[in-house]
Amino acid sequence: MNNVCVFCGSSTGLRSRYAGMAGLLGKELAVRGLGLVYGGGNVGLMGVLAKACLAEGGRVIGVIPEFMVAQELAQHDVSTLHVVESMHERKALMSDLADAFIALPGGYGTLEEFCEMITWRQLQLHHKPCGLLNVEGFFDAFLTFLDHQTREGFLAPENRALIHVASDPATLLDLLHEA
């Protein structure tokens, strides 16, 4: 693993632990010499994550659509900032640049991006590990829903097993490295 793509919220959420874990993940990536690929934003968990990684001397690659740059949402002091035309191009480039995927807490965009990557993994369009950093049980209801999909025959058990879950960054990165 060289680069890890992290999907996360453009908000910090209501619990301080979300931002705390984003910062710990950014630091852990830098300490391990892993590059961070992320959505290029300077706000919310995205900003916390990138700034923490940079503060530890880490390599940060942002990928952001033009319209977000125009709204002054870009983190310009990253190692590399790719400005793309669309959200679709953003995901495709992030996927190309990454060797693994992690989702932190977030909203629709975070969930959609992570689900697309896990779907691509299921379809064998890539063989990169995918994991959820389950801060404060944020993803518990989602994981319960995936178990329901499995019990109802819509998700094969082997595909359900493609998602690695941990509540701390070091353990999750170890799981992804071993996958």
Side-chain angles (χ1 to χ4, degrees), residues 37-40 61-65 81-82 84 89-90 93-94 97:
V37 176
Y38 85 116
I61 303 163
V63 183
I64 191 166
L81 183 65
H82 297 277
V84 296
E89 285 181 56
R90 180 193 211 185
L93 182 55
M94 290 170 83
L97 294 170

Side-chain angles (χ1 to χ4, degrees), residues 19-31 36 38 41 44-60 75 77-78 104:
M21 276 298 182
L24 285 176
L25 177 58
K27 180 179 179 177
E28 188 69 24
L29 289 168
V31 166
L36 165 64
Y38 85 116
L45 295 185
M46 281 195 288
V48 171
L49 173 71
K51 289 170 188 161
C53 191
L54 289 168
E56 290 294 320
R59 190 174 69 258
V60 178
Q75 180 78 31
D77 64 345
V78 296
L104 280 166

Side-chain angles (χ1 to χ4, degrees), residues 70-90:
Q71 294 173 5
E72 300 182 3
L73 297 174
Q75 180 78 31
H76 291 284
D77 64 345
V78 296
S79 310
T80 306
L81 183 65
H82 297 277
V83 179
V84 296
E85 297 265 331
S86 69
M87 296 295 280
H88 295 293
E89 285 181 56
R90 180 193 211 185

Side-chain angles (χ1 to χ4, degrees), residues 107-136:
Y108 285 139
T110 301
L111 194 57
E112 183 271 332
E113 290 165 333
F114 181 78
C115 284
E116 185 157 353
M117 292 306 116
I118 198 69
T119 300
W120 291 0
R121 174 71 179 90
Q122 172 184 304
L123 297 172
Q124 299 184 16
L125 297 175
H126 69 72
H127 297 283
K128 303 170 185 180
C130 300
L132 297 172
L133 188 54
N134 196 18
V135 182
E136 298 285 323

Side-chain angles (χ1 to χ4, degrees), residues 1-54:
M1 254 186 347
N2 292 313
N3 293 321
V4 176
C5 178
V6 179
F7 303 116
C8 57
S10 58
S11 167
T12 56
L14 298 177
R15 297 182 189 198
S16 62
R17 189 89 168 123
Y18 299 145
M21 276 298 182
L24 285 176
L25 177 58
K27 180 179 179 177
E28 188 69 24
L29 289 168
V31 166
R32 291 179 184 226
L34 297 170
L36 165 64
V37 176
Y38 85 116
N42 63 6
V43 296
L45 295 185
M46 281 195 288
V48 171
L49 173 71
K51 289 170 188 161
C53 191
L54 289 168

